[in-house]
Amino acid sequence: MMARITMVMLFVLYMINYADKTIAGYSAVPIMKEFSLTQEEWGLVGSSFFWFFAIAGILGAALSDKIGTKKMLAIMAISWTVVQFGAYAIAGLPMLVVARVLLGIGEGPFWATVVSHLNKWFPEEKRGLVYSTVNFGAFVGAVASAPLLVYLIDTYGWRFSWGFMGALSLIWFLIWLWVGKERPAQSAEASKSAAAAPLPKVTWSEISGVFLSLTFVLCFLVYFAQIWGTTFASVWEPAYLVQVIQLTNQEMAYSIAGTGLVAGLMTILISWGGDRLYKKHRSYRKSYVRIGGISIILGGIFFYSVTWFQSTAFVLIALCLAKGFAFSVGTAASVIVSSMMPLRTGLLVGVLSSLVTLAGIISPLVTGSIVQNAPNLAAGFNNAMILNGLICLVFGILFLLFAKKKEERIEASSPLIQAS
């Protein structure tokens, strides 16, 4: 029962996390108008969220291994509250950038901490589905938050909507202090033993061998491709639907909500398929590599297909399928990496999720430059969609061909797998 409560709480926190990320995109048009920002300046705002995200992710993940994931999740939630309430102090581009930088620092350790926390509650053969179910909170966050946040922005202003998100994370924080647990009760004795005998220090040669392994690098590349796409979706998709496809703000909100819900359900189904294959073959290559590689390749094709027609229905369907296929690969990459050194899950996934934020830094800047320098907005966004598709295709093919190439079959009783 407590495991389910834990998963629900993290699901809700991911809803808040995703809405915090995307609220800037929903606010793009009024903010750009209020502060007279260009497309490139808005790209700078989108990029700033990730400037220190990587460093915060690595340090925060390491800290969560030391102080406990329950405490780390609480610290992150309360930091989001403070930053979002600070929207009322924003008076120009510099302060807007500072606000997004601080939110990025507060959210940096999120996914690594969540993965590490879930690993304490769920066995290995269920983690793909559990990760993707919690990750589905991001898509539900889009469904639940997009129409509401756009309504709040249109009615009360963008600052009020940012403060509203701060209030939600505060409520979550208070509930988490009451119901959150570090680990299952039956592992209390193991926890005491671990506290009495802490993990041996990891050597650089040991950890560098994992980080430099072909599988880790390929997991990084496909996850990089996903973050490139998710950053485009959160920073630029609202503006694209309003300025190019000519949807109203409310139409844009409901379109993002609907496509997000379907895409999220796709990610759960895809991850469930990976779990089923892993349970059958006890092989990461025949399960998560195969499922993840094929999915992100299909995602790249659908991103590219957005440029074929400018029909509203076709664009929405293509974007929905692109997100559904491409955004499931992060779960597969996290499952694979977390298996490479099970006792150092927080560190490994923290490094992975931090490194891929390079995509979050680069993607908004590149997209802003492409759109700004194109002959018109439609051409600019089409070029950006083509780039999204190519990144997914190239990295997906490499991942499918070479990740876990030398893997040996694992017996059901074995909790470990070779890092190579």
Side-chain angles (χ1 to χ4, degrees):
M1 180 64 181
M2 193 60 218
R4 293 178 182 177
I5 293 174
T6 298
M7 188 167 67
V8 168
M9 287 296 295
L10 296 181
F11 177 92
V12 173
L13 187 60
Y14 211 158
M15 290 176 60
I16 297 171
N17 173 281
Y18 186 83
D20 279 342
K21 283 187 177 74
T22 57
I23 194 171
Y26 301 141
S27 313
V29 174
I31 290 177
M32 292 174 71
K33 182 177 180 181
E34 178 177 342
F35 299 133
S36 302
L37 304 181
T38 66
Q39 301 288 343
E40 288 183 330
E41 286 173 331
W42 183 247
L44 178 69
V45 173
S47 170
S48 64
F49 177 87
F50 293 99
W51 288 354
F52 296 99
F53 191 101
I55 296 174
I58 295 172
L59 295 179
L63 181 61
S64 74
D65 285 342
K66 183 175 182 180
I67 68 173
T69 47
K70 177 190 173 181
K71 290 181 181 178
M72 194 66 203
L73 289 164
I75 291 170
M76 285 188 289
I78 199 64
S79 73
W80 307 347
T81 295
V82 174
V83 173
Q84 294 294 60
F85 277 131
Y88 286 97
I90 296 174
L93 177 61
M95 296 178 71
L96 184 63
V97 168
V98 169
R100 296 303 287 178
V101 167
L102 292 177
L103 185 63
I105 291 173
E107 293 195 358
F110 177 77
W111 182 242
T113 306
V114 166
V115 167
S116 185
H117 194 76
L118 289 172
N119 283 1
K120 300 172 185 177
W121 291 87
F122 296 93
E124 189 173 25
E125 64 270 13
K126 294 183 179 180
R127 288 175 187 169
L129 180 59
V130 170
Y131 292 174
S132 63
T133 300
V134 172
N135 187 60
F136 184 50
F139 295 94
V140 175
V143 173
S145 69
L148 175 60
L149 292 179
V150 169
Y151 169 78
L152 293 177
I153 292 167
D154 290 343
T155 306
Y156 302 105
W158 62 270
R159 289 180 177 83
F160 178 89
S161 66
W162 288 32
F164 174 80
M165 291 307 307
L168 291 183
S169 56
L170 176 60
I171 293 170
W172 187 94
F173 167 79
L174 295 174
I175 297 175
W176 182 247
L177 292 181
W178 174 43
V179 305
K181 304 293 182 184
E182 181 68 24
R183 63 183 68 247
Q186 60 267 31
S187 63
E189 290 301 320
S191 178
K192 292 178 182 178
S193 299
L199 292 175
K201 289 184 178 180
V202 63
T203 63
W204 171 245
S205 60
E206 181 183 11
I207 200 73
S208 64
V210 175
F211 290 149
L212 297 176
S213 67
L214 180 60
T215 293
F216 186 90
V217 171
L218 291 171
C219 285
F220 159 73
L221 290 178
V222 292
Y223 206 166
F224 179 97
Q226 173 181 324
I227 297 301
W228 187 285
T230 55
T231 304
F232 175 87
S234 63
V235 175
W236 291 105
E237 185 181 0
Y240 167 71
L241 294 177
V242 171
Q243 296 176 335
V244 177
I245 306 302
Q246 299 295 307
L247 301 183
T248 66
N249 280 348
Q250 282 298 324
E251 288 172 341
M252 172 270 291
Y254 285 112
S255 296
I256 289 177
T259 58
L261 176 61
V262 175
L265 291 173
M266 287 175 62
T267 64
I268 290 181
L269 181 62
I270 291 167
S271 296
W272 174 79
D275 282 348
R276 294 280 294 179
L277 288 174
Y278 178 76
K279 188 174 182 179
K280 177 181 179 181
H281 299 291
R282 308 303 295 183
S283 164
Y284 287 97
R285 177 157 183 81
K286 293 180 179 179
S287 54
Y288 300 110
V289 171
R290 184 178 296 172
I291 288 288
I294 293 173
S295 293
I296 198 165
I297 289 170
L298 291 173
I301 292 171
F302 281 109
F303 265 125
Y304 184 84
S305 73
V306 172
T307 65
W308 297 348
F309 306 100
Q310 287 302 306
S311 161
T312 300
F314 181 87
V315 166
L316 293 178
I317 291 171
L319 282 174
C320 176
L321 295 174
K323 292 185 290 187
F325 282 118
F327 296 178
S328 65
V329 75
T331 297
S334 297
V335 171
I336 294 170
V337 168
S338 69
S339 74
M340 298 172 85
M341 290 182 69
L343 297 179
R344 303 288 179 178
T345 295
L347 176 61
L348 290 185
V349 180
V351 171
L352 175 68
S353 58
S354 297
L355 289 175
V356 297
T357 59
L358 289 170
I361 296 172
I362 300 169
S363 173
L365 296 174
V366 171
T367 302
S369 178
I370 289 173
V371 174
Q372 184 78 27
N373 294 292
N376 55 66
L377 285 176
F381 276 109
N382 279 346
N383 291 338
M385 293 290 184
I386 291 172
L387 181 59
N388 291 349
L390 287 175
I391 290 173
C392 290
L393 280 169
V394 172
F395 292 165
I397 290 171
L398 291 174
F399 180 75
L400 185 62
L401 291 178
F402 301 112
K404 286 290 183 185
K405 190 72 172 178
K406 299 179 181 179
E407 179 190 55
E408 295 181 359
R409 188 180 184 277
I410 311 162
E411 297 302 324
S413 60
S414 174
L416 302 176
I417 188 169
Q418 292 181 347
S420 63

